[in-house]
Each structure stands twice: as C-alpha cells, then as structure tokens.
C-alpha cells in the first residue's frame, strides 16, 4: 500500500521557491493500480520521485506498507519514460540489474528471468544491447526487469508514451497480463485518458498552480480487454477529458 498524506514539495528556482505540490493526499491500496493524470507541470513526476524516495526534502508523509519510504530497505520498481535501460549492458544484464543491486541475483533469478523473457516475447535477445531492439522490445525488457524484482511497489512514469499507438495498446495488454499475476501495487503516471481508464482501478486527477489532486475516481472499467471498446468506456473517456479541460481552465 502507498499512503501519501498532506504532501507539499517546493523547488528552489532562480532564488525563489516554486511550489510543485501542495497538500497532496492519496492512498493506493495493496495490489491495485492508481493512474495519475493531469496537465504538464502539475507535479506528477515530482510525486513519483517523492514516492520513490528520490526527493526527501518535503512536508507531509509518504508510507509504503506502513513504513516511511526508504529505497535502501524497500524494493521500489521504477520505470521511466525512456525505459531506463543501461545502453552498455546487454538485455539479459539489464533485466537482472534490479535484482543484482538488491543482492538477489541467484540461479533462481536467472531461471525466472528466462521464463519472463519467453512470456514477454524477448527470448533469444538476451545477448543484444538495448539499441539493437525496437522501442516495444525495450519496453518489454523494462517490464521484465520490473517484474523480476517483485518490488513492493511499482512506479511507472509515462512508460508507454514514446511508443506508437498500436505498440502502446499492445504494451498495455502485456503489462496487464503480468500485473494480473503479480498484483504489484502500482502508481502509473500517464497523459492518455484511455490508458488511465484501462489500467487504473483508481484515477487521480491533478491540476497545476500549484500541483494538487483535484479528484480521485474509482474506475470499474479497468483491467478488462472486453470493456475497452464498449460505449461505456468511450463515454467515460469523454467525461474524464471534460474534467481535465475544466481543471485546466480553472488553473
Ligand atoms: P509533471 O510531471 O506533471 O510535468 P513536474 O513534477 O515535472 O510536473 O514539475 C512540477 C513543477 O515543478 C513544474 O512547474 C516544474 O517546472 C517544476 N520543477 C520540476 N523539477 C524541478 C527542478 N528540479 N527544479 C525546479 N523546478 C522544478
């Protein structure tokens, strides 16, 4: 579970303090996905960095499974927009990187990495370097790495944004398929309304000036491929777009 309570974050920019997040509270229950959506600059990445323990000078609290966030003690999976692969390491080494850092690179992990690679359709590519893969394949490597670690929480910052529309939809399916087996508590930043609706059981709508959470919606349409092409899904997408537009007009 991720619990964010009354979180405020400021940056020192050009000698003045800029408030990036103001009084943000949000709970992601164990084994669920929360999609965070909002305009550029509303503090989504800042929120992720605080939850990841990368920004520590904050007001308010962030707890993971009841304990203050501490990346040394916890397993926090982080998947950035550019997949976060090390270009000089092979695909296989990249996949096992998270586990190696945590001292868990045993025989068992090698075997599990192989199973994940087969499942993600990247078996046989382990000796290649990331630049020898397509965007979709690199994304699969990033997912294999994230899920191999079996993290306490998974943070995904616009993970599918760099992909073309068809590959993006494919990757959303791949993510869901894995997630439905592992049920890792996940916070996913996206600027695609359909992605938020498809993946997030909870959708947090953020607005800017200062960055804050305006509304948290329960979303019963998440996680089912069948729902994705139904009129209800389309209608909900329109409603969400309207809310985001209204928030943009207010800020
Ligand atoms: P988002 O991910 O929603 O686009 P960010 O969290 O990246 O938003 O940024 C929120 C606000 O904080 C923006 O106004 C941005 O300019 C500012 N900001 C982000 N990072 C820094 C930084 N390192 N120094 C100063 N200001 C920053």
């Amino acid at each position: 579970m991720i619990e964010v309570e009354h979180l405020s974050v400021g940056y020192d920019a050009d000698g003045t303090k800029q408030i990036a997040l103001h009084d943000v509270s949000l709970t992601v229950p164990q084994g669920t996905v929360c999609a965070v959506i909002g305009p550029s600059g509303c503090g989504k990445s800042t929120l992720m960095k605080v939850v990841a323990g990368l920004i520590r000078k904050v007001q308010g609290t962030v707890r993971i499974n009841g304990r203050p966030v501490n990346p040394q003690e916890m397993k926090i999976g982080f998947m950035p927009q550019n997949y976060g692969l090390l270009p000089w390491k092979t695909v296989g080494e990249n996949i096992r990187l998270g586990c190696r850092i945590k001292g868990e690179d045993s025989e068992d992990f090698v075997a599990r990495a192989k199973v994940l690679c087969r499942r993600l359709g990247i078996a046989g590519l382990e000796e290649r370097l990331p630049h020898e893969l397509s965007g979709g394949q690199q994304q699969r490597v990033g997912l294999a790495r994230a899920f191999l670690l079996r993290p306490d929480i998974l943070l995904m910052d616009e993970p599918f944004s760099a992909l073309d529309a068809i590959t993006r939809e494919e990757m959303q399916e791949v993510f869901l398929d894995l997630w439905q087996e592992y049920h890792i508590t996940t916070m996913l930043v996206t600027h695609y309304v359909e992605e938020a609706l498809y993946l997030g059981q909870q959708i947090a709508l953020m607005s800017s000036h200062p960055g804050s959470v305006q509304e948290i919606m329960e979303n019963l349409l998440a996680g089912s491929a069948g729902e994705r092409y139904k009129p209800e899904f389309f209608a909900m997408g329109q409603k969400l777009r309207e809310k985001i537009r209204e928030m943009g007009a207010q800020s």
Side-chain angles (χ1 to χ4, degrees):
M1 175 153 86
I2 304 170
E3 292 165 287
V4 177
E5 280 176 11
H6 303 297
L7 177 69
S8 294
V9 182
Y11 290 109
D12 288 318
D14 308 324
T16 55
K17 189 130 180 147
Q18 191 182 347
I19 299 172
L21 287 176
H22 174 69
D23 199 20
V24 167
S25 294
L26 176 70
T27 299
V28 186
Q30 188 68 26
T32 65
V33 179
C34 174
V36 179
I37 192 164
S40 184
C42 71
K44 302 182 294 294
S45 296
T46 302
L47 175 62
M48 297 291 260
K49 285 179 194 157
V50 176
V51 176
L54 300 173
I55 297 178
R56 289 165 167 253
K57 236 178 99 187
V58 301
Q59 281 175 20
T61 55
V62 178
R63 286 196 202 86
I64 294 171
N65 298 335
R67 289 185 295 143
V69 59
N70 182 340
Q72 272 82 44
E73 274 178 18
M74 297 164 171
K75 286 198 274 182
I76 299 177
F78 190 72
M79 205 161 159
Q81 209 176 107
N82 58 4
Y83 324 121
L85 305 181
L86 297 182
W88 61 89
K89 292 213 177 269
T90 65
V91 164
E93 287 167 340
N94 264 293
I95 290 173
R96 294 196 301 274
L97 193 68
C99 293
R100 280 193 58 193
I101 291 169
K102 288 287 172 191
E104 295 181 356
D105 200 13
S106 62
E107 288 292 309
D108 172 47
F109 277 83
V110 176
R112 278 191 43 226
K114 280 206 170 118
V115 173
L116 266 170
C117 283
R118 272 202 298 277
R119 180 141 174 213
L120 286 163
I122 48 173
L125 304 179
E126 289 94 332
E127 296 308 317
R128 290 203 198 171
L129 291 169
H131 76 87
E132 295 170 321
L133 305 183
S134 70
Q137 286 170 330
Q138 291 186 47
Q139 181 73 71
R140 286 166 193 261
V141 174
L143 280 176
R145 177 162 78 189
F147 280 89
L148 183 66
L149 182 64
R150 286 192 179 138
D152 298 309
I153 60 163
L154 178 57
L155 304 172
M156 302 173 89
D157 194 356
E158 301 194 12
F160 310 126
S161 294
L163 304 171
D164 63 83
I166 302 290
T167 314
R168 186 162 59 241
E169 284 194 10
E170 204 178 287
M171 289 315 301
Q172 290 163 357
E173 306 285 347
V174 169
F175 166 75
L176 259 188
D177 182 49
L178 277 180
W179 184 85
Q180 273 158 355
E181 183 182 328
Y182 289 76
H183 280 284
I184 291 168
T185 309
T186 301
M187 197 184 261
L188 165 101
V189 164
T190 179
H191 60 254
Y192 293 103
V193 164
E194 277 73 21
E195 188 163 288
L197 274 175
Y198 189 48
L199 301 181
Q201 283 109 19
Q202 195 175 234
I203 301 175
L205 294 175
M206 290 188 68
S207 66
S208 1
H209 311 299
S212 50
V213 172
Q214 288 296 319
E215 189 174 336
I216 295 173
M217 294 169 50
E218 296 302 322
N219 172 32
L220 300 175
L221 301 174
S224 160
E227 300 292 330
R228 195 174 197 175
Y229 303 104
K230 286 190 178 163
E232 296 90 290
F233 193 92
F234 182 73
M236 193 66 178
Q238 290 300 96
K239 205 169 134 189
L240 206 53
R241 267 194 193 85
E242 249 164 59
K243 278 179 189 276
I244 294 169
R245 249 198 308 271
E246 275 168 23
M247 282 175 351
Q250 281 163 18
S251 64

Coordinates of all heavy atoms in Angstrom, one line a residue, residues 11-13 18-20 38-47 49 157-158 189, ligand 1:
Y11 N 10.5 23.6 -5.0 CA 11.8 23.7 -5.6 C 12.4 25.1 -5.5 O 11.6 26.0 -5.6 CB 11.8 23.3 -7.1 CG 11.4 21.9 -7.4 CD1 10.2 21.6 -8.0 CD2 12.4 20.9 -7.2 CE1 9.9 20.3 -8.3 CE2 12.1 19.6 -7.6 CZ 10.8 19.3 -8.1 OH 10.5 18.0 -8.5
D12 N 13.7 25.2 -5.3 CA 14.4 26.5 -5.4 C 14.7 26.7 -6.8 O 15.5 26.0 -7.4 CB 15.6 26.5 -4.5 CG 15.3 26.5 -3.0 OD1 14.3 27.2 -2.7 OD2 15.9 25.8 -2.3
A13 N 14.0 27.7 -7.4 CA 14.3 28.0 -8.8 C 14.7 29.5 -8.9 O 13.8 30.3 -8.6 CB 13.1 27.7 -9.7
Q18 N 9.5 27.6 -5.7 CA 8.3 27.3 -6.5 C 7.6 26.1 -5.9 O 8.3 25.0 -5.7 CB 8.8 27.0 -7.9 CG 7.7 26.9 -8.9 CD 8.2 26.6 -10.3 OE1 9.4 26.6 -10.6 NE2 7.3 26.2 -11.2
I19 N 6.3 26.2 -5.7 CA 5.6 25.1 -5.1 C 5.2 24.1 -6.2 O 4.4 24.5 -7.1 CB 4.4 25.6 -4.3 CG1 4.8 26.5 -3.2 CG2 3.6 24.4 -3.8 CD1 3.7 27.2 -2.5
A20 N 5.7 22.9 -6.2 CA 5.4 21.9 -7.2 C 4.2 21.1 -6.8 O 3.4 20.7 -7.6 CB 6.6 21.0 -7.4
G38 N -3.0 14.4 -15.5 CA -3.1 15.8 -15.3 C -2.2 16.5 -16.3 O -1.4 15.9 -16.9
P39 N -2.4 17.9 -16.4 CA -1.6 18.6 -17.4 C -0.1 18.6 -17.1 O 0.3 18.4 -16.0 CB -2.2 20.0 -17.3 CG -2.8 20.1 -16.0 CD -3.3 18.7 -15.6
S40 N 0.7 18.9 -18.1 CA 2.1 19.0 -17.9 C 2.4 20.1 -16.9 O 1.8 21.1 -16.8 CB 2.7 19.4 -19.3 OG 4.1 19.4 -19.2
G41 N 3.4 19.7 -16.0 CA 3.8 20.7 -15.0 C 3.0 20.7 -13.7 O 3.2 21.5 -12.8
C42 N 2.0 19.7 -13.6 CA 1.2 19.7 -12.4 C 1.8 18.9 -11.2 O 1.2 18.8 -10.2 CB -0.2 19.2 -12.7 SG -0.3 17.4 -13.0
G43 N 3.0 18.4 -11.5 CA 3.7 17.7 -10.4 C 3.7 16.2 -10.4 O 4.1 15.6 -9.4
K44 N 3.3 15.6 -11.5 CA 3.2 14.1 -11.5 C 4.5 13.5 -11.3 O 4.7 12.6 -10.4 CB 2.6 13.7 -12.8 CG 1.2 14.3 -13.2 CD 0.7 13.8 -14.5 CE 1.5 14.1 -15.7 NZ 1.5 15.6 -16.1
S45 N 5.6 14.0 -12.0 CA 6.9 13.4 -11.8 C 7.4 13.6 -10.4 O 8.1 12.8 -9.9 CB 7.9 13.9 -12.9 OG 7.4 13.6 -14.1
T46 N 7.2 14.8 -9.9 CA 7.6 15.1 -8.6 C 7.0 14.2 -7.6 O 7.7 13.6 -6.7 CB 7.2 16.6 -8.2 OG1 7.8 17.5 -9.2 CG2 7.7 17.0 -6.8
L47 N 5.7 13.9 -7.7 CA 5.0 13.0 -6.8 C 5.7 11.6 -6.9 O 6.0 10.9 -5.9 CB 3.6 12.9 -7.2 CG 2.7 11.8 -6.5 CD1 2.6 12.2 -5.0 CD2 1.3 11.8 -7.1
K49 N 8.8 10.9 -7.8 CA 10.1 10.9 -7.2 C 10.1 10.9 -5.7 O 10.9 10.3 -5.1 CB 10.9 12.2 -7.7 CG 11.3 12.0 -9.2 CD 12.0 13.3 -9.6 CE 12.2 13.3 -11.1 NZ 12.3 14.6 -11.7
D157 N 6.4 6.1 -14.9 CA 6.3 7.5 -15.3 C 6.1 7.5 -16.8 O 7.1 7.5 -17.5 CB 7.5 8.3 -14.8 CG 7.3 9.8 -14.9 OD1 6.2 10.2 -15.3 OD2 8.2 10.5 -14.5
E158 N 4.9 7.7 -17.2 CA 4.5 7.7 -18.6 C 5.3 6.6 -19.4 O 6.0 6.9 -20.4 CB 4.8 9.1 -19.2 CG 4.1 10.2 -18.5 CD 4.1 11.5 -19.3 OE1 4.5 11.5 -20.5 OE2 3.6 12.5 -18.7
V189 N 1.9 7.2 -14.0 CA 1.6 8.5 -14.5 C 1.3 8.4 -16.0 O 2.1 7.7 -16.7 CB 2.8 9.4 -14.2 CG1 2.7 10.7 -15.1 CG2 2.8 9.8 -12.8
Ligands
LIG1 P1 4.8 17.0 -14.5 O1 5.5 15.7 -14.3 O2 3.3 16.9 -14.1 O3 5.0 17.6 -15.9 P2 6.8 18.0 -12.7 O4 6.7 17.3 -11.4 O5 7.9 17.6 -13.6 O6 5.4 18.0 -13.5 O7 7.0 19.6 -12.4 C1 6.2 20.3 -11.5 C2 6.7 21.7 -11.4 O8 7.9 21.8 -10.7 C3 6.9 22.4 -12.7 O9 6.5 23.7 -12.6 C4 8.3 22.3 -12.9 O10 8.8 23.4 -13.7 C5 8.9 22.3 -11.5 N1 10.1 21.6 -11.4 C6 10.3 20.2 -11.6 N2 11.5 19.8 -11.4 C7 12.2 21.0 -10.9 C8 13.6 21.2 -10.5 N3 14.5 20.2 -10.4 N4 13.9 22.5 -10.2 C9 13.0 23.5 -10.2 N5 11.7 23.3 -10.6 C10 11.3 22.1 -11.0

